[in-house]
């Protein structure tokens, strides 16, 4: 039996997202629990940027959706991009739902 090749995460397309580091007046940070991805995973609040949306608009919308509040303002924007490497089990589950024709999604050769 042939050993499964690891998923080439560089070949996967990622949706642009906005993430907020939110501090209260005591310097405490807000984190959200990501229950859909299994285990005990925590992250900064945020989410995908919709077509035509600016990063700041997307972040404020996501904060409103996730935390049910409009009491946030963007005071500083980082120039660094955040890229999260998903656990392989999550990638396989998500891609299998989108591409049931692939035996092992994300392992096809990268054109180059």
């Amino acid at each position: 039996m042939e050993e499964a090749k690891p998923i080439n995460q560089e070949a996967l397309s990622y949706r642009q997202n906005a993430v907020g580091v939110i501090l209260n007046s005591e310097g405490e940070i807000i984190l959200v629990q990501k229950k859909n991805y299994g285990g005990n995973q925590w992250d900064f609040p945020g989410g995908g940027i919709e077509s035509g949306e600016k990063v700041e608009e997307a972040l404020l919308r996501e904060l409103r959706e996730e935390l049910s509040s409009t009491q946030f303002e963007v005071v500083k924007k980082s120039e660094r991009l955040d890229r999260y490497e998903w656990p392989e089990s999550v990638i396989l589950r998500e891609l299998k739902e989108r591409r049931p024709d692939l035996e092992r999604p994300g392992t096809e050769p990268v054109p180059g």
Side-chain angles (χ1 to χ4, degrees):
M1 180 181 208
E2 186 178 322
E3 186 176 323
K5 293 187 262 180
I7 292 176
N8 178 358
Q9 292 195 18
E10 294 298 320
L12 301 174
S13 61
Y14 285 87
R15 181 178 180 197
Q16 294 290 318
N17 67 68
V19 177
V21 178
I22 302 168
L23 302 170
N24 67 12
S25 60
E26 287 80 42
E28 297 169 317
I29 299 172
I30 293 178
L31 295 176
V32 294
Q33 188 172 18
K34 304 280 189 173
K35 293 184 177 188
N36 292 344
Y37 307 120
N40 189 20
Q41 296 196 11
W42 295 82
D43 202 353
F44 295 110
I49 300 172
E50 302 292 338
S51 178
E53 208 173 30
K54 294 180 181 172
V55 175
E56 293 86 352
E57 294 169 339
L59 177 58
L60 293 172
R61 177 184 48 74
E62 288 289 341
L63 294 174
R64 185 176 62 251
E65 291 173 3
E66 291 181 9
L67 303 173
S68 301
S69 177
T70 59
Q71 300 300 307
F72 298 102
E73 71 174 295
V74 176
V75 294
K76 190 170 184 180
K77 181 179 173 182
S78 173
E79 296 303 317
R80 289 188 58 185
L81 294 177
D82 176 47
R83 181 169 175 149
Y84 179 79
E85 297 299 332
W86 295 100
E88 190 168 298
S89 62
V90 173
I91 294 172
L92 288 172
R93 183 186 73 219
E94 293 294 318
L95 291 178
K96 189 68 174 172
E97 287 176 11
R98 296 175 196 178
R99 294 279 312 271
D101 59 308
L102 295 177
E103 184 175 318
R104 186 163 169 83
T107 59
E108 54 272 4
V110 178

